[in-house]
Structure formats: structure tokens, C-alpha cells
Amino acid sequence: MEEHIDTGIGESGEVVMPELPATLTVNTAQQFKAIGDTTRVSILDLIKYEPLTAKQIGGRLKMPAGTVGHHLQVLEEAGLARVAARRLVHGITAKYYTRTARLFIFDFPLEVASGMERTLNFLTQARDQLVDSLAANGDDIFCKTGFPHNRLSPERAEEFNRRLFELSYEFATAEPDPNGQVYGLSITYFQAPPYLQRPGGEWQDGEIESDMRD
């Protein structure tokens, strides 16, 4: 016999995905430590779109539910994940987790990670997910890529930066389609290395960077 013991369970028995806040600023040492593990990053990606139990997550990631439960506890204590629903089945309480926002905006202090380290971490995560998707789907995968260059004035460079940030924000915080597929968007906009610059030109100081994590 099944008993609903908390909110988050619909009238027909399905677990309801709650409305998540658009953004959460990540800025504490505990939060940075929590998201420093690639498994926990994968868990956060999974529970953005549907509430899942440790057992369900373990099935997706091919790891024991107990291991997933430990990671969920770390994420919950850091304020990055929360219990969205509970269901009592045969005397055992199943907890369904979601993340606490659609988009995490990172506010890194310099002592936590250098700009180079965090940028390369984002690119590595995007590459790893693309490898997995290509391996699973081959030529059938929807994938559009490009790597153009252009010589821009500081004003135009900043304008492109603003537009790219707005596009990324819209993509990451848009209302998910419960019947849709999950897509990834990786944007890296950077000043090209010295060998591509004008000979004798000065390397401009400053960065155009926005740290975001969907």
C-alpha cells in the first residue's frame, strides 16, 4: 500500500516538478566544494528537469544508490539541491530531489579558482558530455558547431559579449518542456592568442567573461 507523506505528489500519483527559481548565485566555499566533483555536476544536470530518487539517479549514472545518496546530501547541505517530494512505499521513504535553481551563476573569489581553471573546467565538462552523446547517437545527434574569428573594436567586442550573455541566460532559464529533449549550449568567447593579433600590437588588459552554469 502506498501513502503520500509530503507535497510534490500529484492527484494521479505522479511526482510533480516544482517551479524552480531562475537563478542562484553560488559564492560560498561549501558550494564551490560541492560542485567541484564531476559526479555531483552530473547529478545537478539530471535533477534540473525532473525530480529523481538516489536509486533512479544511480540507474542513469550506473553507480550505487548509496554513493548517489552521499552526493545528494552534500549538494543539499550546500543549498544546491533539495527534496521536492517524499513517497512512502512498503515502509521505506523515497526522496525525490531537484536542484534549487535553473541556472547557477558563479561568483568565484580568486582564492577558490583562477579564471583559467574555471573556464577550462566548463569546456571540459561540455566536451565530455558531447563525447557521450556522440557515442550514443552517432550521426543522428543534433549538433551544430563553429569556431569563427574576427577583429573587433573594444565596443563591438563588449556588444557581442552582452548579446551572448543574454542568449545564454534565456536558454538556461527558459521554462522546460516536459515532453522535450535536453540540449546543451556551450559558449566560449575569448580574446585570441598573441600569434593571431596584429604584429607589434599590444595585448589588451582585462577580460570579457561571465561565469554561468546551467
Side-chain angles (χ1 to χ4, degrees):
M1 181 177 180
E2 184 175 296
E3 178 187 353
H4 300 160
I5 60 173
D6 202 348
T7 58
I9 306 296
E11 293 183 358
S12 60
E14 81 283 3
V15 179
V16 179
M17 180 66 185
E19 178 67 26
L20 300 181
T23 63
L24 174 71
T25 298
V26 175
N27 56 12
T28 71
Q30 184 180 21
Q31 290 172 329
F32 293 134
K33 183 177 180 180
I35 59 175
D37 183 277
T38 56
T39 297
R40 290 196 279 271
V41 171
S42 297
I43 291 173
L44 288 172
D45 287 340
L46 278 173
I47 60 177
K48 178 180 178 181
Y49 306 104
E50 56 182 322
L52 296 172
T53 65
K55 183 177 180 179
Q56 291 171 328
I57 295 170
R60 300 271 189 96
L61 299 181
K62 296 180 173 55
M63 62 177 53
T67 301
V68 174
H70 166 72
H71 287 303
L72 286 169
Q73 182 178 358
V74 173
L75 292 169
E76 186 177 12
E77 291 175 352
L80 303 176
R82 69 180 183 89
V83 177
R86 292 180 176 87
R87 171 175 283 160
L88 185 63
V89 182
H90 304 303
I92 299 175
T93 302
K95 297 179 181 180
Y96 291 80
Y97 288 84
T98 64
R99 53 196 276 163
T100 51
R102 295 182 198 161
L103 174 66
F104 295 144
I105 298 179
F106 293 165
D107 181 13
F108 284 100
L110 292 178
E111 62 270 19
V112 171
S114 68
M116 178 183 295
E117 180 183 352
R118 64 179 184 261
T119 297
L120 294 179
N121 283 342
F122 286 145
L123 289 175
T124 299
Q125 292 166 14
R127 178 192 179 279
D128 290 346
Q129 287 195 12
L130 180 57
V131 168
D132 291 342
S133 193
L134 288 171
N137 300 291
D139 294 336
D140 294 332
I141 185 179
F142 176 87
C143 180
K144 305 296 181 182
T145 60
F147 187 32
H149 293 78
N150 201 346
R151 191 181 296 277
L152 304 173
S153 68
E155 293 76 19
R156 289 203 68 196
E158 180 55 37
E159 173 64 13
F160 276 112
N161 181 59
R162 181 188 62 79
R163 289 164 60 187
L164 287 170
F165 179 87
E166 290 176 351
L167 177 63
S168 299
Y169 184 90
E170 179 184 356
F171 177 86
T173 60
E175 182 69 28
D177 185 337
N179 299 315
Q181 301 290 322
V182 177
Y183 291 81
L185 175 65
S186 177
I187 295 178
T188 305
Y189 179 49
F190 63 98
Q191 192 169 21
Y195 70 83
L196 288 177
Q197 305 301 333
R198 188 187 307 277
E202 295 183 357
W203 183 269
Q204 296 179 5
D205 293 331
E207 290 183 340
I208 300 175
E209 178 183 346
S210 295
D211 287 322
M212 303 178 67
R213 182 73 170 93
D214 63 344

